[in-house]
């Protein structure tokens, strides 16, 4: 079996987008910590499918004050590889919400809902409200690339980003 080529440019992308050594250190630390939390959850479940709700509570809890995030949907369990990919995606969304979006202000709120279609497609909606006005970004950042790569390449899914003035709406399908 042939080994897939590794993308050695990923750390370089993080380094290029960092504004200082301290910023780079924090970004790398946070992403590694998100992966660590995900692997800890998977270990706790003995590498069995793990609840999506656990992932959402774990990742958003690291960025939000009590009451800022509402999470809801039916029971969904993710296989370990999907859990890791979704952990990175939710980490990036929560990071951006904390820096620029709804979680950057006390009155901001994030609602995360999900459902599974009869055909087995998981759809997760991330809706921000009460934060600063949102506008279409002028450039695609590293976080957006991480989200797209995790969903579209690793899970053969789809991401829709809607930069509504009242708050970001992201739809994740896999």
């Amino acid at each position: 079996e042939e080994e897939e080529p590794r993308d050695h440019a990923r750390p370089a992308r993080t380094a290029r987008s960092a504004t200082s050594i301290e910023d780079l250190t924090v970004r790398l630390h946070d992403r590694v910590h998100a992966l660590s939390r995900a692997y800890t959850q998977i270990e706790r479940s003995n590498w069995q499918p793990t609840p999506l709700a656990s992932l959402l509570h774990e990742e958003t809890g690291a960025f939000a004050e009590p009451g800022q995030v509402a999470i809801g949907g039916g029971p969904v369990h993710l296989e370990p590889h999907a859990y890791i990919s979704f952990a990175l995606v939710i980490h990036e969304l929560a990071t951006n919400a904390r820096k620029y979006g709804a979680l950057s202000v006390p009155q901001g709120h994030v609602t995360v809902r999900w459902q599974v279609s009869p055909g087995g497609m998981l759809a997760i909606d991330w809706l921000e409200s009460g934060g600063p006005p949102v506008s279409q970004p002028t450039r695609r950042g590293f976080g957006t690339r991480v989200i797209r790569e995790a969903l579209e390449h690793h899970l053969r899914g789809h991401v829709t980003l809607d930069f509504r003035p009242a708050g970001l709406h992201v739809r994740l399908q896999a």
Side-chain angles (χ1 to χ4, degrees):
E1 182 174 296
E2 230 178 44
E3 188 175 320
E4 286 188 25
R6 296 177 188 235
D7 182 356
H8 297 289
R10 283 189 199 136
R13 285 185 208 148
T14 299
R16 280 192 306 270
S17 66
T19 57
S20 67
I21 295 296
E22 292 79 17
D23 182 40
L24 174 61
T25 302
V26 168
R27 287 179 186 209
L28 290 174
H29 175 268
D30 288 350
R31 287 184 178 118
V32 169
H33 195 68
L35 284 172
S36 174
R37 285 191 301 268
Y39 275 105
T40 298
Q41 279 298 111
I42 291 168
E43 282 286 318
R44 284 187 190 137
S45 69
N46 292 320
W47 292 84
Q48 297 300 308
T50 306
L52 171 62
S54 296
L55 180 152
L56 293 166
H57 285 292
E58 183 81 24
E59 282 305 315
T60 60
F63 295 92
E65 298 299 322
Q68 278 192 297
V69 178
I71 296 171
V76 170
H77 289 73
L78 301 172
E79 295 292 335
H81 79 280
Y83 193 91
I84 297 296
S85 293
F86 275 114
L88 285 173
V89 168
I90 299 303
H91 172 79
E92 293 300 329
L93 290 172
T95 297
N96 287 339
R98 181 69 174 168
K99 285 181 170 180
Y100 315 110
L103 300 180
S104 69
V105 295
Q107 69 275 16
H109 190 77
V110 173
T111 300
V112 185
R113 297 184 305 238
W114 65 90
Q115 61 186 16
V116 178
S117 72
M121 177 71 74
L122 172 63
I124 302 172
D125 287 296
W126 174 281
L127 301 142
E128 296 186 28
S129 60
V134 175
S135 61
Q136 184 76 30
T138 57
R139 66 177 185 82
R140 195 161 111 179
F142 183 72
T144 303
R145 285 189 213 115
V146 168
I147 291 168
R148 288 201 184 282
E149 187 169 311
L151 261 289
E152 294 173 0
H153 299 292
H154 293 233
L155 298 174
R156 290 182 232 116
H158 182 72
V159 178
T160 304
L161 299 164
D162 186 0
F163 295 92
R164 301 172 181 173
L168 177 66
H169 175 209
V170 179
R171 176 157 258 222
L172 311 168
Q173 294 176 290

